[in-house]
Amino acid sequence: MSKRLLTVYRLFAIGLILAMLLAVRPASQATAQQEAPPVLILPIDRATFLPGAMFDVRIEVHADELPADFAVTVDDQDATKFFGAKATEESWEFGPEEGPLTPVQSLVWRELSFSEPGDHTVAVTAGGETTQVTWSVLEPQNAGAKNVILFIADGMSIAEITAARMMSRGNTEGKYNGAFAMDEMEEIGLVHTSGMDSMITDSANSASAYNTGHKSAVNALGVYPDTSAETTDDPMQETFAEMVKRTRDMAVGIVTTANWTDATPAAVFAHTRRRSDQNYIAAEPLDDGLLPEVILGGGSRHMLAQDTPGSRRDDDRDLFTEYEDAGYTVVTTAADMEAAMATPPERLLGLFHSNNMDVWLDRNVYTDNITADTDQPGLVEMTTTALDVLNQNENGFYLQVEAASVDKQMHPLDYERALADLIEFDEAIAAAQEWVQANAPDTLIVVTADHGHGFDVYGGVDVEAFNAATTDDEKRAAIGTYADAGYPDYVDADGDHFPDSWVVKRTMAMFVNNFPDYTEDFQVSPVPRVPAIPSDPEDDSSRAVDNPDDDPNGIPLQGNLPVAGATTGVHTMQDVPIFASGPGAEFFGRVMDNTEVFFGMADAIGLDPSAADGLAVAATK
Amino acid sequence: MRYPIYLITILFILLSLTLSACSGAAASEVSRVTPLPTAVDATATPTVASTPTPTASPTLTPVVLTTADGAATPLPLSNDLPEGSAAAIAAATDIALKPTVENRLTFDQSPVPIKFAEFYEKYDIRKGLILTDKLVSLDGQTVTMEGYMAPPLKSALDFFVLTRVRLAFCPFCSSAADWPDDIALVYLVGDAVPVTIQPVRVTGRMEVGISHDEETGMVSLVRIYADKVEVLQ
């Protein structure tokens, strides 16, 4: 690891620990001794579990040695006795490069589980002070679903859906001329997205919450973050996919338009403190034995042995061959994928790009921007292909589908590229709904985002007037608000739900609430957008300045992000929408924490990992 | 440590070498010229030789040594680099993979112009970047290339990374994922050259093949031992 990164992680870890300690202290039974060392208990206070779900426990005491009175109890019983296992003792130091380093004494228990529902209090006494957390093991439910499909549009907010619907369906006299597939689902709710370290989440943290039912921190997947520098020793939480495979022998599928080892898809199976460990993540299914029946997306560069030109691996493993040896049919083009489905394989690995797949707008309109030499399938084909493979398993399946580039294009303020991928996301939902209707009505479909971007539309822009204007004031006069906003004139004559042309006379005044210094012309960019660049090309943390090549005709906007290094927009805090249809959908018709999404999916299929067959009591309906 | 490839390694090398390197070297090899509009593109249409001819082979044949476990380990082309960071980096490489060329090309001029766009046939999902016959045939030949210096960490260099486009970001500072494939590592045979953001033309002997240094983890595919670096204005 680079020292710079290490320092960042260490500083982050310190901040995280301090924050957690502050949060925990008031609940602790303070008995005076000032020397009591800081204590960290993972899982955190108010963590929730399914009975039988596997998890690790880590206790950290930040001291040179464990105090003489050190004790860990669960429900007032010695922890070793309660867990039926002795902890492994570990120690390390952490802190900033320049010091001082904090010594850590730690106990870790691996692969524990609770057999029964109920609450448990874990108490750690050290230096005369007791720190305690309470965990709740919830009662499994069963709504009678057989399969679960979780759709995640990365970075999708309600306003993005609204703008995409305006582009896709059009609106006449205030009424939309059609609805999105997600609009017509049975239930809608809101999801809180904050993580344990920050009110603003990243995609690893949030997808981890959906897949494990536990909070985590920015950059972490399937683990609680401890303070050790090692990124793969953090206490793990079993994922939904691991549980349904281990206890029910269900099939698991991952579909994404990103690297398949990127944060959101990796959250299905990965356990690491650092989402950028993509080489490690690419081999994890092979090494851990959770082999998803379907993997479709990009990211072949993390599969090639290091001596292969274009590889990003740092070892000699040829993962394509290893996956083939593990029984996968490997495809690399849309045509090959279709051909392979003549007889659906048991396991399908389809990677169509060295990195993130190209976005809809570039694949279909601005094709000069395509960065792959292969014909790439779209999200719709990948989704229905995955369903056809997964449905061969009579025990049911869990499929997670991600539209990754809604987020990846919203970051550089490339709104048309983001919204086109959002429309494609909705097309994939429509295709899945149709497939479910025809093939497996006992399927829960959940549609959500993992976090939002501060996007909205505040008016309409007369493009001709804007482009003819010679001053910034004249350009701003071309932006109509309220009654002068009017409607954009996107046309979808061919009925494919995408605008026939992205160059229109009247566009929407689209913006996000956080941005660098940049210029905005409110028109589709024929090349992928780079709104701002570092002022010092030798230093990517230098002041971010407007990119003179991007929207040179636009109005200059004074940024409101930190000036150092922030060349693109960032995630925001807002709750994100969640939609659901099918057995168990009613769970989602409310406001909830992101960790609850896991339990909604579990309850839908009656997942009880403590039962011999992994099945909760008979379906409640 | 899960970060592959060379850039973080190069960062370390740069950082460590920056401390010791003499940066005051005269830039006598740099000449400022106005590029001819088609100077690099126009010439040297390669012809396919029906069979490889002795003259088409690299003039400097890699020495093949046998390691303890019996595997053949080709070494890089010999170099006469002056003492400095370039020599240190060049010495740290050993060619682990040397591409074989099926249709070896001969060239009717020297130096042979080559562009980054001529490096790769395509990206094959399973085989990675497929090198062009032209690139592979140029192993050991004198070439001339145009590109940009990747933003370095010091003001005068005896090696640098040549890139197809001007990189806004210091590639040594960002993650491996952001490092483009269109690069060549340039070792300066002559004196150090000052950093420039202008396009440069590099002339020198090309070495092709994945070079992987066990100790530093540095990986590069194309290297040029440059006799001459011209700044294009």
Side-chain angles (χ1 to χ4, degrees), chain A residues 104-105 146 167 178 186 216 226 234 236 241 271 289 304 341 362 372 397 437 466 469 531 551 562-563 570 593 614:
Chain A
V104 178
Q105 312 302 320
K146 183 181 177 189
M167 279 179 164
E186 295 163 13
S216 193
D226 63 26
D234 299 61
M236 296 183 196
H271 300 278
L304 305 172
M341 291 305 289
D362 291 332
F397 62 80
Q437 205 61 39
F466 187 96
D551 286 10
V563 294
V570 298
D593 184 62

Side-chain angles (χ1 to χ4, degrees), chain A residues 68-80:
Chain A
D69 65 345
F70 176 74
V72 183
T73 62
V74 184
D75 301 341
D76 298 324
Q77 197 177 355
D78 177 66
T80 304

Side-chain angles (χ1 to χ4, degrees), chain B residues 49-124:
Chain B
S50 54
T51 55
T53 60
T55 53
S57 301
T59 49
L60 292 164
T61 309
V63 182
V64 178
L65 295 181
T66 303
T67 56
D69 61 2
T73 307
L75 289 182
L77 302 171
S78 64
N79 69 74
D80 48 2
L81 298 175
E83 222 172 284
S85 39
I89 290 181
T93 66
D94 69 303
I95 298 180
L97 178 148
K98 197 161 176 59
T100 54
V101 57
E102 290 183 4
N103 297 312
R104 185 175 295 283
L105 310 179
T106 56
F107 304 92
D108 57 8
Q109 75 174 108
S110 181
V112 184
I114 180 166
K115 296 185 289 186
F116 282 111
E118 297 173 294
F119 272 22
Y120 309 116
E121 207 73 66
K122 62 171 187 168
Y123 182 93
D124 182 287

Side-chain angles (χ1 to χ4, degrees), chain A residues 480-491:
Chain A
T481 59
Y482 296 105
D484 295 331
Y487 283 96
D489 53 353
Y490 294 101
V491 174

Side-chain angles (χ1 to χ4, degrees), chain A residues 535-593:
Chain A
S535 52
D536 179 356
E538 294 181 26
D539 179 5
D540 62 2
S541 62
S542 61
R543 185 186 178 98
V545 296
D546 174 49
N547 176 5
D549 296 335
D550 175 76
D551 286 10
N553 182 42
I555 52 173
L557 293 169
Q558 173 77 51
N560 59 3
L561 282 165
V563 294
T567 54
T568 68
V570 298
H571 304 174
T572 58
M573 187 173 74
Q574 63 190 294
D575 293 345
V576 292
I578 189 164
F579 308 84
S581 284
E586 57 277 11
F587 179 98
F588 298 95
R590 62 198 179 90
V591 178
M592 74 196 84
D593 184 62

